Amino acid sequence: MKKRIITVSREYGSGGRVIGRRIAEALNVKLYDKELIALAARESGFDLEYVKETGEYSTTGSLLFNLAIANLYGNFANMTGTADKLHFVQSKIISDIADREDCVIIGRSADYILRDRDDVLNVFIYADEAVRVKRAIEEYGLDEKNARKNLLKTDKGREAHYKRYTGNTWGLAHNYHLCLNSGFHGIDRCVEIILKAQA
Amino acid sequence: MKKRIITVSREYGSGGRVIGRRIAEALNVKLYDKELIALAARESGFDLEYVKETGEYSTTGSLLFNLAIANLYGNFANMTGTADKLHFVQSKIISDIADREDCVIIGRSADYILRDRDDVLNVFIYADEAVRVKRAIEEYGLDEKNARKNLLKTDKGREAHYKRYTGNTWGLAHNYHLCLNSGFHGIDRCVEIILKAQA
């Protein structure tokens, strides 16, 4: 069965974001990354920046969305951390997006959030550290020291976030349907393989 | 670049062996599994059964092979366990096979043994436990209790073996170039994806 939704989890500098964009273009569907999920949240009445700053959420949004949140209000009110509230709101947004349209979603533990659906292909993109440092230097214009620093910090953050919100260990093949070493295959081949796995 | 050698690591009941056989047939190359590696060892002068029973190795083999082992003799003599000696002999055999011919190799930590080559594609095949139990019942004619028992025992053994001889954690995507959930994709699709990744 053709998979309507593709989630792409990726290591820093692995090219996962580019691969996701290429897949979205090939399938003619929308790509959701951090920024677009924040935008979708705002359109639904949630200002993630506001949640971030105050640890609260705004209630100026659509009636339907507010009703959905109202059902879970106790849950939400009991969350102590801003990060938890942000994650909760993002999870709702991602579920809504998946209900509504075919798409590619980058990061945000979307693989886990959508785990009960059978129309999702979960992909993990990774590469050897040396390959990723080289890519970060070339693509993001960093020097080697900062490329390594960013890589360690970002990977560590993703690992901790994944553990906290999924209970699973970051980087285990079992979390995904398809795992690709982009340094080995190259970006083009990764795109071809994902399209084959999705069709 | 076309990869001459494909290693297939797999969880119990995931169909990795069948997938490996289908790949070997499609590429018209030999499939090496546990039994064929033992046979290759014997032809080279090593009787793995003899090593297993006595913890020693026979020296009746080919001159070249014995010379190669002689270079590493000190290393070999210092190994205390039979499992270590078996692993050492198998590693030599697998390296020799990779030098000699295009092939598919199932298990035996061949991904790690051949890690310094650039003509190898390392694949990991896995699936959800329920899928693997079902497969073990259907393919191996086991009842559910024994299927579960075999699954746990075999996976645990492979995990421990992998840790001991590679230092790496079994099941991490980073150990491989391509990881496929065979329960999700199905056997046919896995074969297609591997052939695409290899070409």
Side-chain angles (χ1 to χ4, degrees):
Chain A
M1 192 189 69
K2 206 174 153 84
K3 302 300 168 191
R4 291 178 46 242
I5 297 151
I6 298 173
T7 76
V8 180
S9 307
R10 78 294 185 210
E11 290 184 333
Y12 179 84
S14 68
R17 193 192 160 92
V18 176
I19 291 168
R21 198 181 63 219
R22 295 265 306 273
I23 297 288
E25 285 166 3
L27 298 174
N28 199 24
V29 300
K30 200 159 167 181
L31 176 82
Y32 283 97
D33 58 8
K34 193 177 174 178
E35 285 69 33
L36 277 181
I37 287 167
L39 190 63
R42 194 163 307 140
E43 283 167 3
S44 298
F46 279 88
D47 186 333
L48 293 184
E49 280 308 311
Y50 181 74
V51 174
K52 224 172 185 169
E53 282 163 19
T54 64
E56 295 298 331
Y57 66 102
S58 100
T59 53
T60 58
S62 73
L63 182 64
L64 266 178
F65 196 84
N66 284 337
L67 280 173
I69 292 294
N71 275 331
L72 295 149
Y73 186 81
N75 215 349
F76 190 72
N78 287 336
M79 290 179 191
T80 49
T82 304
D84 286 348
K85 290 183 180 175
L86 264 173
H87 174 73
F88 174 81
V89 172
Q90 287 192 346
S91 300
K92 283 291 302 167
I93 298 292
I94 287 170
S95 296
D96 286 356
I97 291 169
D99 279 343
R100 194 176 66 212
E101 60 184 306
D102 300 3
C103 59
V104 175
I105 305 175
I106 307 283
R108 314 286 100 196
S109 308
D111 56 296
Y112 184 79
I113 293 164
L114 304 176
R115 67 193 175 283
D116 291 331
R117 304 183 67 106
D118 61 2
D119 53 0
V120 180
L121 168 67
N122 296 319
V123 180
F124 180 54
I125 306 289
Y126 56 99
D128 295 347
E129 200 173 299
V131 171
R132 296 190 286 131
V133 167
K134 188 166 173 283
R135 200 185 146 74
I137 292 169
E138 289 168 4
E139 297 286 318
Y140 312 145
L142 299 170
D143 60 28
E144 186 173 335
K145 195 185 151 194
N146 278 308
R148 278 188 196 285
K149 214 174 101 183
N150 275 13
L151 185 150
L152 285 175
K153 193 181 149 198
T154 311
D155 279 1
K156 223 175 180 126
R158 285 178 189 165
E159 192 180 331
H161 184 275
Y162 199 73
K163 188 70 180 180
R164 178 169 179 89
Y165 295 110
T166 75
N168 296 331
T169 301
W170 174 256
L172 282 179
H174 255 277
N175 302 335
Y176 310 97
H177 302 125
L178 171 64
C179 308
L180 292 167
N181 181 326
S182 59
F184 179 86
H185 300 288
I187 301 287
D188 289 348
R189 181 61 64 89
C190 285
V191 171
E192 285 173 32
I193 291 173
I194 294 168
L195 289 174
K196 190 163 204 40
Q198 175 266 348
Chain B
M1 191 186 73
K2 208 174 149 87
K3 301 300 167 191
R4 292 179 45 242
I5 298 149
I6 298 171
T7 75
V8 180
S9 306
R10 80 292 185 212
E11 290 183 334
Y12 180 85
S14 68
R17 194 193 161 91
V18 176
I19 291 169
R21 198 182 62 220
R22 294 266 305 274
I23 297 287
E25 285 167 3
L27 297 175
N28 199 24
V29 300
K30 201 160 167 181
L31 176 82
Y32 284 96
D33 59 8
K34 193 176 173 178
E35 285 69 33
L36 276 181
I37 287 167
L39 190 63
R42 193 163 308 139
E43 282 167 3
S44 298
F46 280 87
D47 187 333
L48 293 184
E49 280 307 313
Y50 180 74
V51 175
K52 223 172 187 170
E53 282 163 18
T54 64
E56 295 297 333
Y57 66 102
S58 99
T59 53
T60 57
S62 74
L63 182 61
L64 268 178
F65 196 84
N66 284 338
L67 280 173
I69 292 294
N71 276 331
L72 295 149
Y73 186 82
N75 215 351
F76 189 72
N78 287 336
M79 291 179 192
T80 48
T82 304
D84 286 347
K85 290 184 180 175
L86 264 173
H87 174 73
F88 174 82
V89 171
Q90 287 191 346
S91 300
K92 284 292 302 169
I93 298 292
I94 287 170
S95 296
D96 286 356
I97 291 169
D99 280 342
R100 193 177 65 213
E101 59 183 306
D102 300 2
C103 60
V104 175
I105 305 175
I106 306 284
R108 314 288 100 197
S109 309
D111 56 298
Y112 184 79
I113 293 164
L114 304 176
R115 68 192 173 282
D116 291 332
R117 302 184 68 107
D118 62 1
D119 53 358
V120 180
L121 169 67
N122 295 320
V123 180
F124 181 54
I125 306 288
Y126 56 98
D128 295 347
E129 198 173 300
V131 171
R132 297 190 286 129
V133 166
K134 187 167 173 283
R135 200 185 146 76
I137 292 170
E138 288 168 5
E139 296 288 317
Y140 312 145
L142 298 170
D143 59 28
E144 187 174 334
K145 194 185 151 192
N146 278 309
R148 279 188 195 283
K149 212 173 103 182
N150 276 12
L151 184 151
L152 284 176
K153 194 181 148 197
T154 311
D155 278 359
K156 223 177 179 122
R158 283 178 191 166
E159 191 180 331
H161 185 275
Y162 199 74
K163 187 73 181 177
R164 179 170 180 88
Y165 295 110
T166 75
N168 296 331
T169 302
W170 174 256
L172 282 179
H174 254 278
N175 301 334
Y176 311 97
H177 302 125
L178 172 64
C179 308
L180 292 166
N181 180 326
S182 59
F184 179 87
H185 300 287
I187 301 288
D188 288 349
R189 180 62 63 91
C190 285
V191 171
E192 284 172 33
I193 291 173
I194 294 168
L195 290 174
K196 189 162 204 41
Q198 175 267 346

